[in-house]
């Protein structure tokens, strides 16, 4: 009996576990800023129960002063749950889809089938996690300006939303969520097409859009520097210095934020109940 299948299954679960652990660590560190971001996204100045913040620093200190650590970590449990599930399920569904498409095929999967696998995984993750993100958003928007706290916790939020708004309310904001998946898949497709049909998990986990922008900008800088170099066929990485890499990282991150942020704002507002 071949030992390839057990090894492949073990590798699949190891990647899912690693993705879930990365998701937990990211949320634990960045959650206070996520609370601030959500409140900025939904507050257009006409919301009575949300304080007005001048900037990010003022928001952090104002929330800490008036709501304490509980306010900075509002929605932390669904945030951890959603991020952990998202990372874990994406790797799991992506591997499963690739295995299904690879059956009875001797050659490597085509870029189109890689993209189909990524699309399937992204859509399934959106479907499974949207209720969790909706509850997180609702909990993050609870402030002392509410006369009564709408939800006492995660379970109460799910129960109250189901009772008062119906099951469909749990899927508010799923359309912009799918748009976010689509922009993510553009970068996945580019990564596949430039890597001979192989997609690296690290590239995906660091954000496909950021990776795409990073590599395209890297090509521009390398081409520019190679024209002025007297050494032919030099390793492209040796042409770049630490400043170049810092600029590449910052610029590619900015590009990813600018492309995805409008969809995040739309999703947050759709998930809000006034």
């Amino acid at each position: 009996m071949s030992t390839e299948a057990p090894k492949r299954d073990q590798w699949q679960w190891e990647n899912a576990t690693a993705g879930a652990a990365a998701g937990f660590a990211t949320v634990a560190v960045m959650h206070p800023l996520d609370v601030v971001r959500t409140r900025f996204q939904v507050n257009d100045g006409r919301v009575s129960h949300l304080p007005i913040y001048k900037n990010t620093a003022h928001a952090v200190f104002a929330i800490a002063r008036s709501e304490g650590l509980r306010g900075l970590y509002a929605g932390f449990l669904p945030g951890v749950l959603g991020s952990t599930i998202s990372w874990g399920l994406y790797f799991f569904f992506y591997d499963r889809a690739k295995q299904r498409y690879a059956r009875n095929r001797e050659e490597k999967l085509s870029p189109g089938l890689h993209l189909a696998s990524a699309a399937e995984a992204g859509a399934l993750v959106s479907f499974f996690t949207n209720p969790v993100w909706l509850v997180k958003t609702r909990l993050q928007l609870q402030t002392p300006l509410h006369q009564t706290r709408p939800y006492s916790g995660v379970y109460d939020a799910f129960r109250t939303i189901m009772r008062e708004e119906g099951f469909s309310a749990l899927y508010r904001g799923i359309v912009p969520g799918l748009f976010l998946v689509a922009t993510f898949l553009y970068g996945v497709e580019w990564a596949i097409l430039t890597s001979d049909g192989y997609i690296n998990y690290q590239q995906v986990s660091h954000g496909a859009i950021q990776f795409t922008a990073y590599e395209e900008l890297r090509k521009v800088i390398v081409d520019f520097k190679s024209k002025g170099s007297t050494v032919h066929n030099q390793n492209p990485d040796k042409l770049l210095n630490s400043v170049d890499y810092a600029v590449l990282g910052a610029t590619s991150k900015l590009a990813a934020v600018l492309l995805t942020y409008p969809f995040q704002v739309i999703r947050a507002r759709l998930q809000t109940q006034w």
Side-chain angles (χ1 to χ4, degrees):
M1 183 177 177
S2 174
T3 60
E4 290 298 322
K7 287 182 179 179
R8 184 175 57 192
D9 289 340
Q10 180 181 2
W11 177 75
Q12 180 185 74
W13 283 106
E14 285 175 352
N15 275 280
T17 303
F24 175 83
T26 301
V27 174
V29 174
M30 302 302 296
H31 192 79
L33 291 179
D34 187 61
V35 172
V36 172
R37 180 181 63 179
T38 301
R39 294 191 180 185
F40 273 124
Q41 286 175 341
V42 303
N43 195 349
D44 58 2
R46 296 176 295 178
V47 184
S48 61
H49 66 265
L50 283 180
I52 301 298
Y53 306 117
K54 298 177 182 178
N55 50 49
T56 301
H58 175 252
V60 171
F61 285 113
I63 294 171
R65 183 173 61 252
S66 62
E67 303 173 52
L69 193 64
R70 181 178 180 179
L72 289 174
Y73 278 88
F76 178 71
L77 180 57
V80 169
L81 183 63
S83 183
T84 303
I85 292 174
S86 294
W87 286 62
L89 284 183
Y90 181 83
F91 290 126
F92 177 78
F93 287 137
Y94 182 67
D95 279 334
R96 286 292 185 183
K98 285 199 305 179
Q99 289 177 22
R100 187 172 66 254
Y101 290 127
R103 287 174 188 164
N104 303 321
R105 291 176 181 269
E106 296 182 359
E107 69 278 3
K108 292 182 179 179
L109 290 181
S110 65
L113 289 177
H114 273 284
L115 184 60
S117 300
E120 181 180 319
L124 286 170
V125 168
S126 293
F127 178 79
F128 280 107
T129 59
N130 198 79
V132 180
W133 298 129
L134 182 134
V135 168
K136 178 182 79 79
T137 299
R138 296 282 183 93
L139 291 175
Q140 288 179 334
L141 296 177
Q142 292 189 142
T143 73
L145 296 181
H146 279 99
Q147 294 181 350
T148 58
R149 294 184 70 85
Y151 314 114
S152 60
V154 177
Y155 174 73
D156 181 60
F158 275 110
R159 185 180 60 180
T160 303
I161 293 169
M162 288 282 290
R163 184 180 66 249
E164 296 182 357
E165 303 174 55
F167 178 77
S168 62
L170 295 174
Y171 284 90
R172 288 180 179 173
I174 193 170
V175 173
L178 290 173
F179 273 110
L180 290 171
V181 171
T183 56
F184 173 79
L185 291 176
Y186 166 77
V188 173
E189 181 182 23
W190 185 92
I192 294 167
L193 292 173
T194 56
S195 56
D196 298 325
Y198 174 73
I199 186 164
N200 185 291
Y201 277 101
Q202 185 179 6
Q203 295 168 358
V204 177
S205 64
H206 282 290
I209 294 175
Q210 184 176 352
F211 172 77
T212 304
Y214 181 94
E215 287 298 321
E216 289 293 339
L217 290 170
R218 177 177 171 275
K219 283 183 180 180
V220 172
I221 295 177
V222 168
D223 289 343
F224 177 78
K225 289 198 168 187
S226 62
K227 290 178 180 179
S229 176
T230 57
V231 181
H232 296 288
N233 298 324
Q234 186 176 0
N235 186 342
D237 290 330
K238 292 183 179 180
L239 292 171
L240 303 178
N241 54 39
S242 57
V243 175
D244 294 327
Y245 284 114
V247 171
L248 284 171
T251 307
S252 59
K253 182 64 176 179
L254 179 62
V257 170
L258 290 176
L259 282 172
T260 60
Y261 196 78
F263 295 107
Q264 295 175 22
V265 173
I266 294 170
R267 182 173 65 177
R269 294 198 178 190
L270 288 173
Q271 291 177 340
T272 303
Q273 181 189 39
W274 303 121

